[in-house]
Amino acid sequence: MHISQAFATRSPEGSEGPDAGRFRARRPARGRAAAALTAAVAFALVLTGCGGGGGGDSAPKSAGSAADADRVEPLAAPPAPKLPVTVDSADGAKVTIGSTDRIVPLTGSLSEIVFTLGFAKQVVARDITATFEQAEKLPVVTRAHDVSAESVLSLKPTIVLADTTTGPAEAIDQIRDAGIPLLVVEPAKELADVGRRIDTVAEALGVPSAGTELKERTESRIAAVQKSIPDHADGEKPRVAFLYLRGSASVYLLGGAESGASSLLEAAGAVDAGKESGLDKDFTAITSEALAKAAPDAILVMSKGLASVDGMDGLVKIPGIAETPAGMDRRVVSIDDGVLLNYGPRTDRVLTEIVEQLYAKGGTGQ
């Protein structure tokens, strides 16, 4: 969620990845080079428009088809909200919600939770990062990742959901000043955040029991996927580097400990090569030296990013890639931008795709 909504506050899911908020939350505290890098990534995100069965089934669902990846799976029973409720907002405010008749979620990952809880008919708008099929016909209330307060207010919402990466701050203030209940939710950065986010949204919508059901369903499916991970014959975990690529904007970045992908890779039985090589922040520009130190056995990318460099053939032309074990074996794991870093009800599908591609005989991209 990761690389989600980076541009919206000029400060991980967009989806670009639905939550391009990871970049968006990064404020200029790292000097001119970091500011320039963030600006380049934000620009790339704007160019691409990028960036969370039955209810009790714990079996992992296959994520192999585009149709699966582009749809959410609502709970079987429609919710019956018990309102009003007063909840704590992540920005320190207390928010009282009296109606869920008209909901506006301002990130793709929050939209995913709302739809999966069963509130599809009540959602009246979407953020550009809500890329799944059920949301695609809703009006977009963001401009290049910035929230348009006027567009939101014109839809007369009864509740607006945002997270700490949503912006600009002036738009958030304008919505609140109009008397609209607006709840800010802490963004998700790892698997451990999935249940918390679901609980927070469900409580705000007056359906805590549905939230518990969805959290348990999601966590059990993630656990089931992890049980399917094959043993490593040599006892060594595969090293996987997460690369953020936007060839049209010449943005080529290697993910580190704060990229948002580490938790997924570790859950898939792999080592985050960038993190393990000593990259303790989010992203750094790709260099031959950094790649040699990371020495990945496989490369994780977003599907739009891979397409932007003309696929595997173009990927190995990026300096340093061809010399890594991953480049030599042409081993790449490609996941849809709209779900990769979402950390929400579809995370089990993401994990399934990573496991299937990572441990496929011969790897992908051959």
Side-chain angles (χ1 to χ4, degrees), residues 277-365:
S277 71
L279 301 178
D280 58 358
K281 298 200 174 166
D282 46 18
F283 291 88
T284 186
I286 289 176
T287 64
S288 297
E289 293 77 12
L291 286 168
K293 189 174 181 180
D297 301 305
I299 290 170
L300 172 65
V301 293
M302 292 182 176
S303 54
K304 286 183 182 177
L306 186 60
S308 77
V309 296
D310 297 324
M312 192 70 217
D313 289 340
L315 180 63
V316 295
K317 293 178 183 177
I318 296 173
I321 297 286
E323 288 71 44
T324 65
M328 289 186 281
D329 291 340
R330 298 174 65 87
R331 194 173 184 84
V332 63
V333 176
S334 176
I335 307 294
D336 184 76
D337 299 46
V339 294
L340 176 57
L341 298 178
N342 225 7
Y343 288 114
R346 293 189 289 172
T347 296
D348 65 289
R349 301 186 192 181
V350 175
L351 195 56
T352 296
E353 284 200 61
I354 292 174
V355 169
E356 288 178 349
Q357 294 184 47
L358 183 59
Y359 299 102
K361 185 176 181 180
T364 58

Side-chain angles (χ1 to χ4, degrees), residues 23 26 36 38 50 54 58 79 82 99 138-139 148 161 165 169 179 195 209 224 230 240 278 297 307 309 316 330 360:
F23 289 119
R26 299 193 166 80
T38 300
C50 284
S58 62
K82 294 182 180 179
S99 170
L138 290 170
S148 166
L161 298 169
T165 67
S209 59
V240 183
D297 301 305
V309 296
V316 295
R330 298 174 65 87

Side-chain angles (χ1 to χ4, degrees), residues 145-195:
H145 295 288
D146 279 353
V147 175
S148 166
E150 293 80 6
S151 296
V152 171
L153 293 173
S154 71
L155 294 166
K156 297 179 170 43
T158 57
I159 175 173
V160 174
L161 298 169
D163 71 21
T164 56
T165 67
T166 304
E170 294 79 8
I172 300 302
D173 292 342
Q174 188 175 343
I175 293 168
R176 275 210 172 124
D177 290 346
I180 306 300
L182 187 150
L183 177 69
V184 177
V185 182
E186 288 287 350
K189 299 179 180 179
E190 58 185 5
L191 281 176
D193 295 328
V194 172

Side-chain angles (χ1 to χ4, degrees), residues 155-244:
L155 294 166
K156 297 179 170 43
T158 57
I159 175 173
V160 174
L161 298 169
D163 71 21
T164 56
T165 67
T166 304
E170 294 79 8
I172 300 302
D173 292 342
Q174 188 175 343
I175 293 168
R176 275 210 172 124
D177 290 346
I180 306 300
L182 187 150
L183 177 69
V184 177
V185 182
E186 288 287 350
K189 299 179 180 179
E190 58 185 5
L191 281 176
D193 295 328
V194 172
R196 168 185 58 77
R197 294 257 293 182
I198 291 173
D199 279 341
T200 299
V201 173
E203 182 183 4
L205 298 180
V207 290
S209 59
T212 299
E213 179 185 352
L214 178 56
K215 178 176 67 173
E216 291 177 350
R217 186 186 84 175
T218 304
E219 291 176 346
S220 66
R221 289 180 175 181
I222 290 171
V225 177
Q226 289 185 278
K227 289 179 182 178
S228 73
I229 297 171
D231 293 330
H232 309 293
D234 58 2
E236 295 291 327
K237 295 182 178 181
R239 297 170 59 84
V240 183
F242 174 41
L243 305 186
Y244 183 76

